[in-house]
Amino acid sequence: MAQMKYYYELTISSSPHVHAPITTQTIMRDVLIALAPAMVGSVVFFGARALTVTLVSVLACVFFEWAYCRLMHKHCKVYDLSAVVTGVLLAFVCPVTIPYWTIIFGAAFAILLVKMLFGGLGRNIVNPALAGRAFMFSWPVLMSTWVKVGFENAAPVIGGADVVTAATPMGALHALTLPETSIMASFWGNVGGCIGETSAALLLVGFIYLLLRKVITARIPVAFIGTVAVLTFLFPMGNPRIDWMLYHLFSGGLMLGAIFMATDYVTSPLTHLGQIVYGIGCGALTVLIRYFGGYPEGVSYAILCMNCCVVLLDRIGRPVKFGAPKKEAAK
Amino acid sequence: MNFKKQFKEGLLTKNPVTVQLLGMCSTLAITTSLFNGIGMGLAVTVITICSNVLISALRKVIPSQVRIAAYITIIAGFVTMVDLFLQAYIPALAASLGVFIPLIVVNCMVLGRAEGFASKRGILESAVDGLCQGIGYTVALVVVCVIRELLGNGTFGGGLLGPGGAGIQIIPQPFPAMQIVMPVGGFLVLGFVLAGSDKLMKYLEKKSKKKEAAK
Amino acid sequence: MKTESNVMYIIRLAAILLIITSLVAAALAGVNSITAPVIARLTAEKTQMAIEAVLPGGGEAIDFAPVDLVSKVYKGENGYAIEVTPGGFDNTITMMVGVDFEGKVLGIDIIKHTETAGLGAVADAETPAGQNFRGQFVGTSGSVAVTKDGGAMDSITGATITSRAICDGVNAALACVATLG
């Protein structure tokens, strides 16, 4: 097997070959840069613990990927930074009060079971960070403890049993009432919620960066967020309906999920039409789960469900080969 | 008749759960405590033995055109009897397994043994087959139960051992991962048990081949 | 094959199936006659136990004027046991509330629910958290509410909606007892 060890560096394809300075590493680096504003924002809103939780999550993800490769005698590709992105995203969808051991379990589940057992980056069926979050709902109380924002309420870096808890906009929306906090608070992120999800504004800054760097296209996020907007506007559960819609757009994990998670290359469709259907499916499921589900937030489960449909969505909207007969003619 | 071979088949090489993948519904749904696993396993074993014996005895009477209807009637009869007896004499188990006792009727393992074995073999052989397959089913269920209960609830022997039948706490709270006793954990753990049994069988096969080669 | 023989053949098939089915039915009837009285006794004991859990001494079902959320009323020598069905986080919760003749809660017991495991389901759990939650209703009267709504009941961590539902149920039971006098 020795000569097979480096087979992944050989790419066999037909010509022409165009060399581009794009590697997994540069893409992941761009994603990390795009996540940076939200990281800074979370430290401002929730205190230093937001940073330490993220660091623990990243270290755990990188460690588990490295350890798996060592144990299974596989070439370790930790330097491609994909495990770092998974670690950051996993921390971003957890409350700041999450104990460190819980996020280490979540990282183990995300990397070992969801990513590596399926064959590593590029072969996982669902988004590792979201699957890790779903698994971390094994401890639902820890995953639904929301601190009040502001420096005076910041959760301590170590310990942290006595925090001032507060309702989140998502909790209010799930109870079919408008939140007490303002829409602008939801937009800027000055509300309770998971570490990286609260600030729609800072996540949108990252979105623009990714668009400019051409790391992602706007199709999936726009279809996703647009569907949520249309559905919440058409079927409001609170008045006025425009407020109801804006709260749904700027609260919870919608922006984080639509921009950074639904667009994951591995777990989203390749064809343009497939991507749009995928985004609409994510949006519709999100609204359904938010309205009728057991938990107040539905973005993560919506994306996980649609991840499982990608294999089918990849079959729609395939471009016709140049010069190939049309379907009718072929029959 | 080869009792040893039948036993080995039921337990490992033709295990209804890990090899034939039959009876998945109950395997995924009720395997959250040792009590459930043993109870379900025993109920299915008793029903398989009874239906195998009766179907084997009637195999020359039942015309092949209506055999499936006849088998299902017989199986449903035994299942309902077991259900009634459990409700009357072991109400705790009946409450814990709930609808999954009546659902044994559609447990493919029971019908599979009737169609695949008892309808062609003698009564004694069929009874032994029912017993062996039932034991294989029970063992597989108990393995899934023990893993799920330990990881998901932190206990061992839930419903049987420990204070108030709550099981012996091995992993302290709050560390057990509740998702493992939820449906998703059923699929996860079953997947690992299937992989494990596959690995074990390959290992045993290798070993027996080595033995033969040594001879 | 002649038509007559086909008809005979089908009749023979049907007859065999009929015999098998009849035998199974007869066996089931036999088993049922043994187990039915035992099961009936157990079911009655179970209902009685649910009543006694909240109303010492138990009680008998009585007629009552319809009140929202109330499905059954049992009267005993120490007060009433009211079965109420408030709407929980996921679906309706069926619970028994014991109330004495002065309109004070004697205890609550949750019979059936589909609340979220680990959050709302704590209300029914035999853990210290669950027992504390249910215990705080004992002795209350008039109307109850969770602290978030300005009341005195501590809600279950992460399950305000479920806690509110339980309060609704207790309030309905108290209102029902008020109409009974």
Side-chain angles (χ1 to χ4, degrees):
Chain A
M1 293 297 281
Q3 74 274 24
M4 284 291 287
K5 205 177 169 195
Y6 294 104
Y7 69 96
Y8 48 85
E9 282 173 358
L10 274 180
T11 306
I12 300 166
S13 65
S14 59
S15 60
H17 300 288
V18 181
H19 183 78
I22 302 170
T23 61
T24 309
Q25 197 185 10
T26 61
I27 291 169
M28 293 299 166
R29 200 179 56 211
D30 276 337
V31 173
L32 288 174
I33 292 170
L35 283 165
M39 181 77 251
V40 174
S42 69
V43 175
V44 172
F45 302 132
F46 299 117
R49 193 185 166 96
L51 191 64
T52 54
V53 167
T54 311
L55 277 178
V56 168
S57 171
V58 167
L59 288 177
C61 282
V62 170
F63 170 77
F64 285 124
E65 183 160 332
W66 173 81
Y68 179 89
C69 293
R70 279 303 295 269
L71 286 174
M72 298 290 160
H73 306 294
K74 294 217 161 90
H75 180 71
C76 188
K77 292 195 280 181
V78 165
Y79 57 81
D80 70 11
L81 295 181
S82 65
V84 177
V85 170
T86 299
V88 173
L89 289 177
L90 179 66
F92 272 22
V93 289
C94 293
V96 69
T97 49
I98 195 82
Y100 296 117
W101 63 263
T102 319
I103 204 149
I104 291 172
F105 278 5
F109 186 86
I111 293 294
L112 297 179
L113 266 76
V114 180
K115 188 177 171 191
M116 299 318 284
L117 274 186
F118 282 87
L121 182 71
R123 296 198 175 86
N124 50 307
I125 295 171
V126 297
N127 187 309
L130 286 178
R133 171 185 152 92
F135 178 72
M136 283 167 75
F137 267 91
S138 283
W139 301 277
V141 174
L142 301 178
M143 287 297 281
S144 340
T145 307
W146 311 108
V147 291
K148 248 182 147 147
V149 286
F151 246 67
E152 65 280 9
N153 300 313
V157 173
I158 295 163
D162 296 321
V163 289
V164 185
T165 59
T168 62
M170 286 323 298
L173 291 173
H174 193 264
L176 305 183
T177 52
L178 288 180
E180 286 163 15
T181 50
S182 69
I183 296 173
M184 284 324 277
S186 275
F187 180 71
W188 292 115
N190 197 17
V191 291
C194 296
I195 290 176
E197 72 175 18
T198 58
S199 175
L202 295 175
L203 290 166
L204 285 169
V205 170
F207 182 44
I208 292 164
Y209 176 79
L210 289 181
L211 284 182
L212 290 177
R213 295 281 297 168
K214 296 198 173 143
V215 172
I216 60 169
T217 59
R219 260 174 242 113
I220 293 173
V222 168
F224 192 162
I225 297 168
T227 308
V228 173
V230 169
L231 286 178
T232 50
F233 185 76
L234 289 180
F235 307 105
M237 297 285 187
N239 273 319
R241 65 170 67 205
I242 191 85
D243 283 14
W244 176 259
M245 180 190 88
L246 289 175
Y247 273 120
H248 266 285
L249 289 190
F250 297 142
S251 309
L254 180 61
M255 291 293 165
L256 182 64
I259 297 167
F260 291 98
M261 292 175 168
T263 53
D264 175 13
Y265 290 157
V266 180
T267 57
S268 63
L270 290 166
T271 64
H272 294 183
L273 184 63
Q275 289 177 345
I276 289 167
V277 174
Y278 171 83
I280 292 173
C282 285
L285 281 174
T286 298
V287 175
L288 281 176
I289 297 172
R290 279 184 177 182
Y291 277 24
F292 305 111
Y295 291 117
E297 178 57 297
V299 170
S300 56
Y301 299 108
I303 298 174
L304 286 174
C305 290
M306 292 310 290
N307 281 166
C308 300
C309 304
V310 164
V311 64
L312 297 172
L313 293 175
D314 266 337
R315 300 170 70 157
I316 59 171
R318 277 190 185 171
V320 182
K321 275 182 205 151
F322 184 70
K326 281 191 177 156
K327 243 186 191 170
E328 292 78 22
K331 269 178 191 172
Chain B
M1 204 180 94
N2 189 340
F3 179 78
K4 209 178 153 191
K5 181 171 162 260
Q6 270 179 310
F7 187 73
K8 200 185 155 197
E9 279 183 358
L11 196 64
L12 207 62
T13 55
K14 282 188 186 168
N15 186 295
V17 175
T18 60
V19 178
Q20 302 181 54
L21 298 185
L22 296 176
M24 290 291 103
C25 171
S26 49
T27 311
L28 292 168
I30 55 90
T31 50
T32 51
S33 73
L34 190 61
F35 180 55
N36 277 2
I38 292 176
M40 189 72 186
L42 289 183
V44 169
T45 306
V46 168
I47 289 164
T48 314
I49 295 173
C50 292
S51 71
N52 264 9
V53 166
L54 191 61
I55 286 163
S56 173
L58 295 175
R59 69 187 187 277
K60 285 177 183 138
V61 183
I62 300 171
S64 67
Q65 282 88 342
V66 292
R67 67 184 192 284
I68 300 294
Y71 298 163
I72 283 290
T73 313
I74 291 167
I75 293 167
F78 282 120
V79 170
T80 314
M81 282 179 211
V82 167
D83 187 23
L84 290 174
F85 277 122
L86 283 184
Q87 277 184 36
Y89 302 110
I90 321 178
L93 187 60
S96 169
L97 295 178
V99 75
F100 291 100
I101 288 286
L103 277 180
I104 296 174
V105 178
V106 290
N107 187 322
C108 298
M109 176 197 145
V110 186
L111 185 63
R113 291 335 283 175
E115 168 73 8
F117 197 95
S119 62
K120 295 169 192 137
R121 309 290 180 92
I123 294 175
L124 188 62
E125 222 176 332
S126 299
V128 171
D129 178 69
L131 179 68
C132 294
Q133 292 283 324
I135 290 172
Y137 181 81
T138 311
V139 168
L141 240 62
V142 166
V143 169
V144 178
C145 281
V146 167
I147 297 174
R148 282 183 78 186
E149 198 192 329
L150 183 67
L151 297 182
N153 216 9
T155 55
F156 174 78
L160 288 174
L161 311 168
I168 302 161
Q169 196 81 28
I170 293 173
I171 303 177
Q173 293 291 351
F175 296 109
M178 191 191 73
Q179 296 288 24
I180 302 292
V181 287
M182 294 284 156
V184 60
F187 284 97
L188 276 175
V189 172
L190 182 64
F192 279 103
V193 169
L194 293 187
S197 101
D198 204 47
K199 189 95 185 156
L200 180 66
M201 265 187 291
K202 280 194 180 133
Y203 170 76
L204 290 178
E205 211 173 299
K206 228 181 182 176
K207 218 169 118 182
S208 68
K209 262 187 193 159
K210 255 189 201 162
K211 232 183 191 174
E212 270 173 36
K215 273 179 191 170
Chain C
M1 218 185 271
K2 277 184 194 167
T3 325
E4 285 91 340
S5 66
N6 260 346
V7 169
M8 284 312 291
Y9 184 63
I10 291 168
I11 290 174
R12 197 163 68 87
L13 289 184
I16 291 170
L17 254 189
L18 181 69
I19 292 166
I20 291 174
T21 320
S22 317
L23 289 178
V24 170
L28 277 182
V31 172
N32 189 42
S33 68
I34 303 168
T35 55
V38 185
I39 295 171
R41 203 191 69 225
L42 283 174
T43 316
E45 270 175 16
K46 216 171 153 190
T47 317
Q48 211 55 43
M49 265 166 68
I51 297 169
E52 270 176 40
V54 297
L55 182 65
E60 296 288 320
I62 59 163
D63 292 331
F64 62 101
V67 180
D68 268 357
L69 302 180
V70 176
S71 51
K72 274 178 200 137
V73 176
Y74 302 91
K75 187 178 181 182
E77 51 193 43
N78 291 316
Y80 300 96
I82 322 271
E83 194 186 288
V84 285
T85 51
F89 192 72
D90 185 36
N91 214 325
T92 53
I93 301 169
T94 306
M95 55 186 265
M96 194 74 88
V97 183
V99 184
D100 68 8
F101 291 116
E102 275 93 57
K104 270 195 184 137
V105 174
L106 292 168
I108 65 170
D109 188 37
I110 288 154
I111 299 168
K112 214 172 109 188
H113 72 91
T114 52
E115 297 305 286
T116 321
L119 291 172
V122 169
D124 187 34
E126 287 307 323
T127 56
Q131 282 158 351
N132 286 345
F133 174 74
R134 292 192 297 276
Q136 60 181 345
F137 289 94
V138 176
T140 54
S141 59
S143 88
V144 292
V146 293
T147 45
K148 243 174 215 176
D149 300 338
M153 299 296 133
D154 290 322
S155 46
I156 302 162
T157 315
T160 311
I161 312 285
T162 306
S163 312
R164 275 192 190 130
I166 306 284
C167 289
D168 288 348
V170 171
N171 286 337
L174 289 169
C176 177
V177 169
T179 66
L180 293 165

